[in-house]
Amino acid sequence: MIVLITGASHTGKTVLAQRLLEKYKYPYFSIDHLKMGLIRSGNTELTPMDDNELTEYLWPIVREMVKTAIENKQNLIVEGCYIPFDWQKDFDANYLESIKYYCLVMSEEYIRNHFADIKKYANIIENRLDYEWCTMESVLEDNAEILKLAKVHNVNYILIDDKYEINIDL
């Protein structure tokens, strides 16, 4: 089983991946680690702020890792912002039956009522060195855009609205 977890920044993708690892013992892979490895090693001129270009650059690599895991009958959780909304087009039916996809999105109401918690839990799994750019306005804008794209592409999304509870059974 492959589990793809994507969504807006600060929605808890890494925390969810960690919880699934603890519950199911499936390893997880953070696309951010691949991104930073490629950037820091000089294998790309892209920067951490080049979101759209990073998706185009990273997805072909991640996609083939997913296919390899499926072919080897390995379980894997892949989490990160760099999974395109049309990801399904890259897999035939045999692969698709082994993939579960979740897009995490926070509602405007949730963000407005819980922004202090969003900032507080930003480092629960990762030690983010710099997240001063994370403002209520940026989080609202990012989540609104992700929700719009999730609806346009008719993908499976989890709306975090009243309280932060995500329960996924694999």
Side-chain angles (χ1 to χ4, degrees):
M1 175 64 56
I2 304 299
V3 181
L4 301 178
I5 303 170
T6 192
S9 183
H10 291 80
T11 53
K13 297 177 296 295
T14 308
V15 172
L16 177 58
Q18 179 68 34
R19 287 184 184 152
L20 292 174
L21 174 143
E22 291 167 3
K23 183 175 181 178
Y24 293 102
K25 309 298 185 228
Y26 290 9
Y28 78 84
F29 174 75
S30 172
I31 301 173
D32 279 346
H33 293 164
L34 176 62
K35 169 187 79 176
M36 292 311 297
L38 291 165
I39 289 171
R40 288 180 170 181
S41 67
N43 281 291
T44 180
E45 300 280 323
L46 297 171
T47 72
M49 303 311 289
D50 296 325
D51 284 339
N52 292 333
E53 295 87 350
L54 281 165
T55 299
E56 293 173 17
Y57 184 68
L58 297 170
W59 178 243
I61 298 166
V62 173
R63 174 192 70 216
E64 296 309 314
M65 291 171 65
V66 166
K67 288 179 181 177
T68 301
I70 292 170
E71 291 161 0
N72 289 328
K73 299 187 182 344
Q74 295 171 307
N75 299 314
L76 181 64
I77 300 162
V78 178
E79 66 88 9
C81 297
Y82 307 105
I83 300 171
F85 285 96
D86 62 350
W87 66 273
Q88 291 178 322
K89 72 174 177 44
D90 294 324
F91 299 96
D92 66 30
N94 292 328
Y95 289 111
L96 288 172
E97 64 190 29
S98 297
I99 301 172
K100 291 192 177 209
Y101 171 95
Y102 302 94
C103 179
L104 306 184
V105 186
M106 294 177 180
S107 72
E108 178 179 346
E109 180 180 356
Y110 182 85
I111 295 165
R112 290 194 186 282
N113 292 334
H114 300 278
F115 186 69
D117 290 332
I118 293 167
K119 291 280 278 197
K120 179 174 131 182
Y121 291 112
N123 286 325
I124 197 165
I125 299 290
E126 302 169 295
N127 185 19
R128 297 172 189 246
L129 299 176
D130 175 25
Y131 64 99
E132 291 303 314
W133 58 268
C134 179
T135 64
M136 184 179 296
E137 292 75 27
S138 69
V139 173
L140 285 166
E141 183 180 308
D142 194 19
N143 278 271
E145 180 67 15
I146 296 297
L147 181 58
K148 181 181 112 186
L149 290 168
K151 288 179 177 180
V152 165
H153 290 278
N154 196 31
V155 297
N156 183 31
Y157 67 90
I158 297 171
L159 185 64
I160 302 156
D161 192 30
D162 183 31
K163 54 187 170 183
Y164 196 98
E165 283 186 22
I166 299 175
N167 297 308
I168 294 176
D169 292 317
L170 303 180

